[in-house]
Amino acid sequence: MGDLNAHINCKELDFITNEVDDSLDNFLPTNYVADSVCKFRNTQVHQKTNNYGKLILDLCTESQLRILNGRTLGDSKGKITFYNHNGVSIDDYCLCSSEFLPNIVNFSVGQFEPTISDHCPISITIHSQLVNKSCDNYVKPTLRRVKWTTKREEIFKSNMLKVNFGTINSDVDNLTQKIEANNTCNSNVTQSFKMIQSLVYHQYYTMLLF
């Protein structure tokens, strides 16, 4: 999605006509699956398809991508996305694979703000399903076990004199405080970062043994 510098006439098709017709079986790939996208697009302004537009249409028909502008909830009219002294046009598009279309909640063209840009912002809302799992399923630290010997003790003491842990301690503590302040309602997040904090300390101290 974005500024594609393309002008596409709404009558130009971004899909293969009658793709479920048996007569096309010899021309389409064996793994080609027909989709049920809304076939008609709308545009607030009439514009001729330029070279960039033709390239986009070819890409869509070859890769089963679909233009969301003018055919999706939130932009059923095909709103203008570009304003300048020469006129207005639709230059900003969002393309989506036909398989992913059911996950698109809406596509919208934002308000034109001339002091910011000559393009309107475009945005999409995507439906996703998140599975709430325990933080233990995400953070599984692998701790390195080291056999303690007199030699390790001497190496550890020597390395402790060379390394300044003040900055590391301060940064980790500050991170934990910020997470706890911003996630007071999510104990799993706070617990995950505490585990990460412990893991960081363990890894650093283990490094001192070598």
Side-chain angles (χ1 to χ4, degrees):
M1 61 185 298
D3 177 14
L4 304 182
N5 291 324
H7 293 174
I8 303 176
N9 188 283
C10 63
K11 294 183 179 180
E12 296 276 8
L13 303 180
D14 59 351
F15 59 91
I16 298 176
T17 308
N18 298 324
E19 59 185 357
V20 295
D21 195 326
D22 293 338
S23 63
L24 294 176
D25 287 345
N26 294 330
F27 302 95
L28 297 177
T30 54
N31 60 345
Y32 188 93
V33 179
D35 57 90
S36 57
V37 65
C38 176
K39 297 187 180 300
F40 299 104
R41 293 189 304 110
N42 298 313
T43 53
Q44 282 188 331
V45 292
H46 175 77
Q47 54 187 21
K48 295 182 179 180
T49 303
N50 62 9
N51 291 332
Y52 287 112
K54 292 178 182 178
L55 292 174
I56 291 177
L57 291 173
D58 289 342
L59 175 65
C60 289
T61 54
E62 292 174 4
S63 305
Q64 278 195 291
L65 296 175
R66 299 295 177 258
I67 300 172
L68 297 186
N69 303 59
R71 60 151 58 110
T72 312
L73 181 65
D75 186 45
S76 58
K77 296 182 179 180
K79 295 180 181 179
I80 298 167
T81 68
F82 179 73
Y83 296 79
N84 70 359
H85 60 279
N86 291 325
V88 298
S89 61
I90 301 172
D91 287 7
D92 305 81
Y93 294 90
C94 181
L95 310 180
C96 174
S97 67
S98 58
E99 293 181 355
F100 197 71
L101 283 172
N103 295 317
I104 303 297
V105 178
N106 63 46
F107 166 80
S108 61
V109 178
Q111 185 176 353
F112 174 56
E113 297 289 349
T115 58
I116 299 178
S117 173
D118 47 10
H119 291 266
C120 297
I122 60 175
S123 62
I124 58 173
T125 302
I126 300 174
H127 174 74
S128 62
Q129 182 177 1
L130 300 178
V131 179
N132 185 17
K133 296 182 178 180
S134 171
C135 61
D136 294 337
N137 294 329
Y138 295 98
V139 182
K140 295 182 178 180
T142 302
L143 303 181
R144 185 177 182 181
R145 297 184 180 276
V146 180
K147 186 177 181 180
W148 190 259
T149 63
T150 304
K151 184 178 180 180
R152 295 284 185 209
E153 181 180 358
E154 296 300 324
I155 295 175
F156 184 81
K157 290 179 180 179
S158 176
N159 288 335
M160 280 291 289
L161 298 176
K162 300 176 183 178
V163 180
N164 181 8
F165 282 88
T167 303
I168 298 174
N169 292 337
S170 177
D171 291 342
V172 175
D173 289 341
N174 289 338
L175 176 61
T176 304
Q177 291 175 6
K178 290 180 180 179
I179 294 300
E180 291 178 344
N182 295 326
N183 293 277
T184 54
C185 297
N186 193 335
S187 58
N188 283 342
V189 173
T190 302
Q191 185 178 355
S192 295
F193 274 89
K194 285 184 177 180
M195 293 180 67
I196 294 173
Q197 179 189 35
S198 300
L199 178 60
V200 169
Y201 283 138
H202 175 86
Q203 295 295 345
Y204 271 108
Y205 281 108
T206 303
M207 289 171 59
L208 296 177
L209 298 174
F210 299 92

